[in-house]
Amino acid sequence: MTRTATILREYGPFPGVEAVHGVSYDGNNVWFASGDKLNAFDPESGDTVRSLDVPAHAGTAFDGKHLYQIAEERIQKIDPESGRVLSTIPAPAGGGDSGLTWAEGTLWVGHYRERQIHQIDPETGKVLRTLQSNRFVTGVTWSDGELWHATWENEESEIRRVDPETGKVLDSMRMPEGTFIAGMEAGGDRFYCGGGGKSAVVRAVKRR
């Protein structure tokens, strides 16, 4: 079943930000990657509350204590209080990585061009499982035991719920014409989605 996504709110554009590359949510603030910084804003007020000087080129994730950030061909584990990089592992797509999320002790990473999602060991980077999509993958998130990913291809974006064992599409929401997704994370009753391209915005999209 495919339906049209409902955009609840738009945040930004943010000063000094050219594009949003990855999005995460720590239970209070929404984090987004903007190339040379990781930024956090309050989803109630929309105000930017934090900014960390770390390379941030694609997906962002939060494990309940630490942030994870794709920086070119590696994934950095970051202390959100100090901004210090605690460790790094190789990213599975070697620089072609897109979305990133944490679930039950492992990281899930989008491989954009290959239309894949990799489950990896957060300590070593070892690939544990690979799911195949039929669209470019631009964001990945888990929510209430469900795996979702964002797509962007042929000037269209969708948010899809897929079977975590087979990759089969179980549900999908098509973004309104002219709106795209680069980076996505679930938070409560919504998904926080990076606007994609040169759009320095984050959109809150209704989950159901």
Side-chain angles (χ1 to χ4, degrees):
M1 182 181 78
T2 300
R3 50 207 159 92
T4 300
T6 300
I7 297 173
L8 300 173
R9 185 170 175 180
E10 185 168 293
Y11 302 92
F14 298 93
V17 173
E18 292 186 1
V20 174
H21 303 295
V23 181
S24 194
Y25 179 65
D26 67 8
N28 294 305
N29 297 317
V30 178
W31 290 83
F32 67 91
S34 61
D36 58 358
K37 290 182 185 297
L38 248 179
N39 314 275
F41 67 85
D42 180 336
E44 292 299 318
S45 68
D47 294 337
T48 300
V49 295
R50 297 284 308 282
S51 187
L52 305 177
D53 290 321
V54 293
H57 303 127
T60 311
F62 181 69
D63 69 0
K65 184 176 181 182
H66 300 105
L67 291 162
Y68 292 82
Q69 178 59 55
I70 296 173
E72 296 180 337
E73 73 288 345
R74 64 194 187 280
I75 299 173
Q76 305 173 122
K77 182 179 181 178
I78 300 165
D79 177 355
E81 294 304 315
S82 67
R84 190 162 63 93
V85 176
L86 304 175
S87 62
T88 63
I89 56 173
D97 310 85
S98 51
L100 184 67
T101 196
W102 175 272
E104 297 180 348
T106 61
L107 288 167
W108 295 72
V109 191
H111 190 163
Y112 177 70
R113 286 282 173 191
E114 295 298 322
R115 303 179 174 91
Q116 293 174 336
I117 299 170
H118 302 291
Q119 181 190 20
I120 67 169
D121 184 315
E123 299 296 324
T124 65
K126 179 184 177 182
V127 175
L128 307 174
R129 182 188 324 189
T130 298
L131 301 177
Q132 190 68 48
S133 177
N134 63 355
R135 291 285 186 275
F136 293 144
V137 177
T138 60
V140 186
T141 190
W142 278 86
S143 179
D144 297 332
E146 297 174 344
L147 177 61
W148 296 77
H149 78 86
T151 73
W152 185 1
E153 192 161 349
N154 298 325
E155 296 306 304
E156 292 181 345
S157 271
E158 287 181 25
I159 298 173
R160 294 175 160 190
R161 180 166 65 92
V162 299
D163 186 313
E165 298 293 331
T166 66
K168 179 184 177 182
V169 178
L170 305 175
D171 189 9
S172 69
M173 297 185 292
R174 185 180 296 112
M175 292 294 285
E177 186 175 352
T179 58
F180 308 106
I181 302 174
M184 175 182 74
E185 187 73 288
D189 63 351
R190 61 199 58 194
F191 296 109
Y192 293 103
C193 304
K198 292 296 183 181
S199 171
V201 302
V202 174
R203 297 183 179 95
V205 176
K206 188 177 180 181
R207 203 177 80 177
R208 297 293 187 191

